[in-house]
């Protein structure tokens, strides 16, 4: 017998313990004790839920801040996504010893990945994203714990770093709908994660600037990897299959969207990570890590003088 | 000379390197190379910003999910916040050995805290929140890394756990506006954090159910601590001073809000953490940790049968 609440989006399956609720519900015998939050009373539950439903202010702080970026569409066209502006390989020139070490580390990793995966761009993408989704969560935790430890504000970095981690994890889930990793790849990710998380956490603790610079370079490599993936699709080496459900939901793509569209959207995300991390590296360089992020500006190309200034004036007006 | 963008909310001070931007801006000599994101071209910046401004779908998934809670007001009245429903000490009865160990651990910590702080409720609150803001971020990282490692979905737990951590960190910042921790307290938090984070991370890895149960009990203790704080204010032992700026912005309080109002709002948050963590502990108990959270229901008290079911039917209708 199918419960009435199956068939939701996201392949939501009822909890196993839902059977109990459903039976009670059908028999109209639902009691207070049958409830999911059974150890508190319904009136408390209602009020607590209401009380908790208020915490948008800090997420919204960006609206009041310089250069706040709106995290909701305006959407972007495929034409924009394949334009030279995004296709171009931007490179942050190393300035310090730390920068050069970061670059060397990433270059080495990139070469190994290319040797191992060769033309298997889809497998490359899956493995890459299991790596790429770590720094954001480590960086966010680092800043969060630092804020607690020093009992001072963070100034708006935790959320964007968490959003970066979530974005990368979504990339992983998106590619998982397009390919099946081999057992060897799965085993590698399982084993390597512990070492990788520990090493990156230590680097983040010792030198946040180099840690974020490393991510900047990692994202430069990710941009290259997706450009190659795109070229393989364009050359017909990889069939341009329909896009998966998760990609369509996440990027709000039309029903007939294809793999190529998804690659374009993902690549643009990597650009953002690249530049946001280089920016944060820069701020650590100039000892400005306790300032608000200056986010990328949607109006930047209209007028070279607009980089974050006009919105500031508007906000103070 | 004051830059034109000072005086924003959140005490935003311009970046040190803003002086350069401001000088160029005033002299109308802003060039492409002067920009904050100087290593990419303005056109790229605009498009990348647009492309990135799309990731609300996953945050919004709750809207499509059973019992989705809206993270924006309806606000809640002070009358509701001091009602018996929220004032009452709810207790999750230990069921397993793990539960009992968790309870003992928290009871011990609570007693030590009470012995140390006695009537210094404000100092107690600050120290408590530096502890309380850790589990959410560890729990979120745990589920995030697990999703990457196993290359599978998380089902909506990462965001609420991050929101919990952010909420606790906001409590800390709120209380920091009401009190100045002693050097000893600061030193204690500095030193204890490393051990505490490591220990809690190991517990989370070994037994997530016990880890979340521990938080459930910690939040029960937090609820007690804030009830005592409230009583001290009501008895006049602690003056009911005006609320700080951060509390007013975060909870959207009126200009004449007081310490007492803030305590009421904070206490209601602790209720939510308590119950959300007990709920997650329950799901681990029944091996349902890979299901979506069932969030507290704003309509729970209207009809005991509504706990998550009617909204499910509405969503499938
Ligand atoms: Fe990615
Ligand atoms: Fe990335
Ligand atoms: Fe708290
Ligand atoms: Fe709490």
């Amino acid at each position: 017998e199918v419960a009435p609440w199956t068939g939701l989006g996201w392949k939501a399956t009822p909890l196993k313990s839902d059977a109990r609720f459903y039976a009670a519900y059908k028999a109209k015998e639902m009691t207070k004790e049958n409830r999911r939050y059974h150890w508190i009373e319904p009136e408390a539950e209602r009020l607590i839920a209401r009380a908790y439903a208020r915490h948008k202010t800090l997420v919204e702080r960006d609206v009041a801040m310089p250069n706040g970026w709106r995290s909701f569409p305006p959407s972007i066209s495929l034409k924009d996504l394949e334009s030279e502006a995004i296709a171009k390989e931007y490179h942050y020139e190393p300035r310090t010893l730390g920068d050069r070490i970061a670059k060397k580390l990433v270059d080495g990793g990139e070469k190994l990945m290319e040797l191992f995966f060769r033309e298997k761009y889809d497998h490359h993408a899956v493995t890459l994203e299991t790596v790429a989704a770590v720094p954001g969560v480590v960086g966010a935790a680092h800043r969060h714990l630092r804020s607690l430890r020093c009992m001072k504000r963070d100034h708006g970095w935790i959320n964007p770093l968490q959003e970066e981690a979530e974005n990368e994890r979504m990339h992983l889930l998106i590619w998982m709908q397009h390919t099946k990793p081999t057992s060897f790849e799965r085993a590698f990710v399982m084993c390597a994660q512990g070492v990788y998380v520990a090493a990156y956490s230590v680097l983040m603790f010792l030198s946040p600037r180099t840690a974020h610079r490393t991510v900047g370079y990692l994202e430069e490599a990710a941009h290259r990897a997706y450009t190659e993936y795109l070229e393989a699709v364009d050359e017909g080496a990889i069939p341009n299959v329909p896009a998966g459900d998760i990609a369509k939901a996440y990027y709000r793509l039309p029903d007939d969207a294809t793999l190529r569209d998804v690659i374009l959207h993902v690549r643009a995300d990597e650009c953002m990570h690249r530049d946001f991390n280089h920016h944060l590296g820069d701020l650590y360089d100039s000892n400005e890590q306790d300032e608000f992020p200056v986010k990328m500006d949607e109006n930047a190309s209209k007028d070279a003088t607009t980089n974050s200034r006009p919105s500031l004036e508007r906000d103070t007006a």
Side-chain angles (χ1 to χ4, degrees), chain A residues 93-106:
Chain A
E93 211 51 57
R95 296 179 184 183
T96 67
L97 179 65
D99 290 356
R100 279 187 290 273
I101 294 173
K103 180 95 180 63
K104 285 267 181 261
L105 274 175
V106 173

Side-chain angles (χ1 to χ4, degrees), chain A residues 132 168 219 270 273:
Chain A
E168 300 286 22
E219 303 290 353
E270 310 301 6
H273 305 158

Side-chain angles (χ1 to χ4, degrees), chain A residues 31-247:
Chain A
T31 63
K32 285 188 174 188
E33 289 66 39
N34 265 337
R35 292 160 45 253
R36 180 71 63 184
Y37 285 88
H38 54 84
W39 58 95
I40 64 164
E41 284 159 23
E43 172 68 0
E45 182 168 343
R46 183 183 74 86
L47 291 178
I48 295 168
R50 288 195 75 177
Y52 201 68
R54 293 157 315 185
H55 305 133
K56 209 68 178 177
T57 312
L58 262 235
V59 176
E60 280 197 320
R61 78 197 133 197
D62 296 331
V63 176
M65 286 312 303
N67 238 339
W69 77 47
R70 287 163 288 284
S71 49
F72 209 59
S75 195
I76 190 164
S77 70
L78 288 176
K79 193 160 163 291
D80 280 343
L81 287 173
E82 57 194 356
S83 75
E84 181 58 21
I86 289 187
K88 186 174 165 182
E89 267 193 66
Y90 287 101
H91 174 52
Y92 186 101
E93 211 51 57
R95 296 179 184 183
T96 67
L97 179 65
D99 290 356
R100 279 187 290 273
I101 294 173
K103 180 95 180 63
K104 285 267 181 261
L105 274 175
V106 173
D107 282 353
E110 189 182 8
K111 255 173 217 137
L112 284 178
M113 293 273 276
E114 278 176 356
L115 273 177
F116 180 78
F117 289 107
R118 294 181 186 268
E119 270 83 55
K120 288 166 69 187
Y121 297 107
D122 42 1
H123 288 250
H124 189 153
V126 166
T127 310
L128 181 68
E129 298 297 356
T130 64
V131 172
V134 167
V137 82
V138 171
H142 171 76
R143 297 217 37 133
H144 181 87
L145 294 174
R146 177 170 161 276
S147 167
L148 301 181
R149 203 163 58 226
C150 307
M151 302 186 189
K152 65 179 187 186
R153 298 195 53 195
D154 171 66
H155 295 94
W157 290 94
I158 296 170
N159 280 352
L161 288 168
Q162 283 172 340
E163 188 179 287
E164 177 189 306
E166 164 125 336
N167 183 222
E168 300 286 22
R169 199 173 62 84
M170 289 308 298
H171 291 172
L172 170 65
L173 299 178
I174 284 169
W175 298 131
M176 287 296 290
Q177 294 199 314
H178 280 278
T179 191
K180 255 189 151 33
T182 64
S183 320
F184 178 80
E185 285 159 9
R186 282 185 176 273
F188 171 78
V189 168
M190 277 273 182
C191 299
Q193 193 193 64
V195 178
Y196 172 53
V197 171
Y200 189 77
S201 303
V202 170
L203 176 61
M204 181 59 81
F205 188 75
L206 295 180
S207 173
R209 65 164 304 291
T210 302
H212 287 288
R213 190 70 68 214
T214 307
V215 179
Y217 289 131
L218 179 72
E219 303 290 353
E220 291 182 12
H223 181 276
R224 277 192 290 277
Y226 284 117
T227 300
E228 285 173 20
Y229 196 175
L230 192 68
E231 285 166 0
V233 171
D234 284 341
E235 288 162 6
I238 290 178
N240 190 18
V241 295
D245 292 340
I246 293 180

